[in-house]
Amino acid sequence: MLPVIAIIGRPNVGKSTLFNLLTRSRDALVADLPGFTRDRQYGFGRLGSRPYVAVDTGGLDGSSEGLPGEMAKQTLRAFAECQAAILMVDGRSGLNAVDQEIAARLRRAGKPIYVAVNKTEGMAADVVTGEFHALGLGQPHAISAAHGSGVDTLIESVLAGLPADVEAPATDERRIHVAVVGRPNVGKSTLINRLLGEERLITFDQPGTTRDSIYVPFDRDAQAYMLIDTAGIRRRARVSDKFEKFSIVKTLQAVDQAQVVIVMLDAREGVTDQDASLLGLVMQRGRALVLAVNKWDGLEDNQRENVRRLIDVKLPFLEFARLHFISALHGSGVGELMQSVKRAYTAATRQLSTPELTRVLEAAVAQHQPPLVRGRRIRLRYAHQGGRNPPVIVVHGNQTSAVPDAYRRYLEGVFREAFDLYGTPVHIEFRSGENPYAQRRKKQTPKQAKVARRQRRIARGRKHKQ
């Protein structure tokens, strides 16, 4: 499973800036979960081929009373969840007593801790990191979270000290791994029990009953699945139980292991900000997705219409996902749900041929041309597949860096329709190729260019006669 890296330090040293850089996302796409806004945010990061979970924490100022004291408790819980921590300090303000107090407290836990000296742009690394050796946590790393300098080297050091896999359960490659995620008490365990036809998982009308991710083999219509029941991401910051405090990390790790994610919503509560944050994380990880609106039975027509309207307004970025209105308790709509899971998996892992992709691209460009850039038309020449789960389509041409987001979304829709890529995100990458003759022509004198043109005409004439 994914290693967890916590970012810890005083207020305003740049922890959130580093977090957003590592997760390559803005605040709207990370888990800004209610109850954790002042202390913990979770997001996925990747360095090369190694993914990880990053945890942003609230600033520690040495206080144990009031709100700062509660923030300190949450930060220490984040430290308990992680396999390694980054202690961030401010290279411009220098070492202070709070930095030393934090370092001393973290050092006693015996976990790997790496000192990141932030805001060092334009400064000599050896000079600015010198005084932070006093923290006794090894060689400090000079970085600039705002500009990205030194960050890759820092993360390389952190990951080098961690195992490639952290307590990963055995997987069966024949099975489609399906994570069932959602807020507490939304009906995740009830849904899995309904699919299995037995009370395999504990269900109880109290948020937080499931405290860990549970893997359950399941076969349906000649297809083998591995269902992953996950702990609900709690609405409050009162996660004091020594088992419950790991629930969020376990849920994110389950999302990473899954090939398809069923996100469950509660029809009676509508679409909450917490639902949108969780869906943003699933999208960020690129997982195939099915939406299940549970507890649909018993709702009045006006209530159902209100739920549909909320989904359209709050989740417009999920038009590609299949939407099901179900009752996990009574079983209505559950069979169709698994059909969508299988279709989403098939779409996410589909092999796309280069000739077919290029044909669809040419037809899309003919129907709706890219815009002009400084008087020149963007040219898109051919496309090929760059990855699966999610599908990555690489489009080659010239001036592709100027392709607007609206045209990217247009191509997304065209490819999705042409290849039935519903249920999965589709990523489009644009690449520009350099003209191999550009430099040669620049170096030619006018006379040389004239001779070259004449030689090309003669060659074309010979070819025509043949």
Side-chain angles (χ1 to χ4, degrees):
M1 283 190 175
L2 299 185
V4 181
I5 303 171
I7 307 170
I8 298 173
R10 293 186 288 113
N12 302 318
V13 294
K15 299 184 298 299
S16 295
T17 303
L18 177 62
F19 174 80
N20 287 333
L21 179 68
L22 296 180
T23 57
R24 292 178 172 84
S25 59
R26 298 177 181 176
D27 288 343
L29 290 178
V30 297
D32 186 9
L33 302 174
F36 296 98
T37 53
R38 294 189 179 95
D39 36 54
R40 285 187 279 180
Q41 292 190 46
Y42 295 77
F44 293 106
R46 175 180 291 273
L47 182 66
S49 61
R50 289 202 64 181
Y52 55 88
V53 172
V55 187
D56 187 19
T57 65
L60 298 175
D61 62 3
S63 175
S64 60
E65 301 296 331
L67 180 59
E70 291 302 315
M71 292 167 61
K73 290 178 184 177
Q74 291 298 320
T75 297
L76 293 176
R77 286 174 188 145
F79 185 60
E81 293 173 340
C82 73
Q83 280 77 52
I86 296 172
L87 173 58
M88 283 195 75
V89 293
D90 190 327
R92 297 193 179 273
S93 63
L95 180 65
N96 67 29
V98 177
D99 295 327
Q100 293 174 321
E101 181 182 337
I102 297 172
R105 193 162 188 176
L106 299 183
R107 194 165 47 237
R108 289 194 291 268
K111 293 187 177 183
I113 304 166
Y114 300 81
V115 178
V117 185
N118 194 27
K119 307 178 186 179
T120 62
E121 56 272 20
M123 305 170 70
D126 291 342
V127 175
V128 74
T129 61
E131 62 179 318
F132 294 99
H133 284 274
L135 296 175
L137 296 173
Q139 176 65 44
H141 294 259
I143 70 166
S144 170
H147 298 89
S149 60
V151 173
D152 283 355
T153 303
L154 168 67
I155 300 302
E156 282 177 6
S157 299
V158 176
L159 293 176
L162 297 175
D165 294 303
V166 181
E167 299 178 359
T171 59
D172 185 345
E173 296 299 328
R174 298 169 300 171
R175 296 185 178 273
I176 300 174
H177 284 63
V178 183
V180 183
V181 305
R183 291 182 289 108
N185 209 32
V186 76
K188 300 182 294 297
S189 298
T190 303
L191 173 62
I192 292 180
N193 285 339
R194 171 60 60 180
L195 290 170
L196 298 174
E198 61 175 316
E199 292 296 315
R200 167 66 176 78
L201 303 175
I202 297 173
T203 59
F204 188 63
D205 189 18
Q206 175 179 328
T209 302
T210 302
R211 292 176 171 175
D212 203 348
S213 297
I214 301 171
Y215 293 71
V216 184
F218 168 64
D219 296 312
R220 185 185 184 95
D221 298 331
Q223 175 62 58
Y225 299 91
M226 180 69 76
L227 301 176
I228 310 173
D229 185 28
T230 62
I233 295 181
R234 293 176 65 82
R235 193 178 307 177
R236 299 181 180 87
R238 301 170 184 170
V239 191
S240 57
D241 186 280
K242 65 180 179 180
F243 298 108
E244 285 188 67
K245 67 184 178 184
F246 293 99
S247 63
I248 296 174
V249 166
K250 292 291 186 182
T251 296
L252 298 189
Q253 289 174 328
V255 168
D256 180 74
Q257 275 214 313
Q259 291 148 327
V260 183
V261 177
I262 298 174
V263 176
M264 294 189 70
L265 310 178
D266 190 328
R268 298 177 185 180
E269 295 189 18
V271 182
T272 68
D273 291 342
Q274 195 170 3
D275 293 325
S277 293
L278 184 57
L279 283 160
L281 274 171
V282 175
M283 285 283 292
Q284 183 188 353
R285 201 70 192 124
R287 291 296 175 255
L289 174 66
V290 177
L291 277 174
V293 183
N294 193 26
K295 307 179 185 179
W296 193 244
D297 51 311
L299 290 187
E300 301 292 336
D301 289 345
N302 62 327
Q303 292 175 303
R304 293 184 174 187
E305 185 60 35
N306 186 51
V307 172
R308 289 191 177 97
R309 183 184 59 79
L310 284 173
I311 291 173
D312 290 340
V313 171
K314 289 194 172 186
L315 307 176
F317 56 93
L318 294 178
E319 291 181 347
F320 68 87
R322 302 289 182 184
L323 175 63
H324 293 267
F325 300 96
I326 69 169
S327 170
L329 185 62
H330 299 104
S332 59
V334 171
E336 293 82 359
L337 182 69
M338 293 310 295
Q339 292 175 15
S340 289
V341 167
K342 188 173 181 179
R343 288 184 64 184
Y345 172 77
T346 301
T349 57
R350 180 163 290 141
Q351 186 71 43
L352 308 174
S353 74
T354 297
E356 282 296 301
L357 284 169
T358 301
R359 181 187 61 78
V360 171
L361 174 66
E362 290 172 346
V365 170
Q367 184 174 1
H368 178 35
Q369 291 228 350
L372 293 169
V373 178
R374 294 185 295 274
R376 295 178 58 205
R377 179 75 64 185
I378 296 173
R379 303 291 180 189
L380 304 179
R381 296 189 176 91
Y382 70 96
H384 66 87
Q385 188 168 13
R388 290 187 287 174
N389 197 23
V392 178
I393 299 173
V394 183
V395 177
H396 293 259
N398 67 346
Q399 300 189 95
T400 57
S401 60
V403 174
D405 289 340
Y407 199 81
R408 182 193 297 269
R409 290 192 295 271
Y410 162 70
L411 290 181
E412 246 179 60
V414 169
F415 285 123
R416 190 185 303 283
E417 181 68 25
F419 296 100
D420 191 24
L421 300 178
Y422 289 95
T424 177
V426 176
H427 294 170
I428 296 183
E429 296 180 4
F430 293 102
R431 295 182 187 172
S432 293
E434 295 182 1
N435 184 348
Y437 302 101
Q439 293 300 321
R440 185 189 307 175
R441 290 179 180 176
K442 284 181 182 178
K443 294 177 182 178
Q444 289 179 334
T445 64
K447 185 176 181 180
Q448 290 172 330
K450 184 177 180 180
V451 171
R453 286 194 297 272
R454 185 172 60 200
Q455 289 174 340
R456 287 195 294 271
R457 283 197 300 271
I458 293 171
R460 283 197 297 269
R462 288 174 180 169
K463 186 177 179 180
H464 180 70
K465 289 179 181 180
Q466 291 174 356

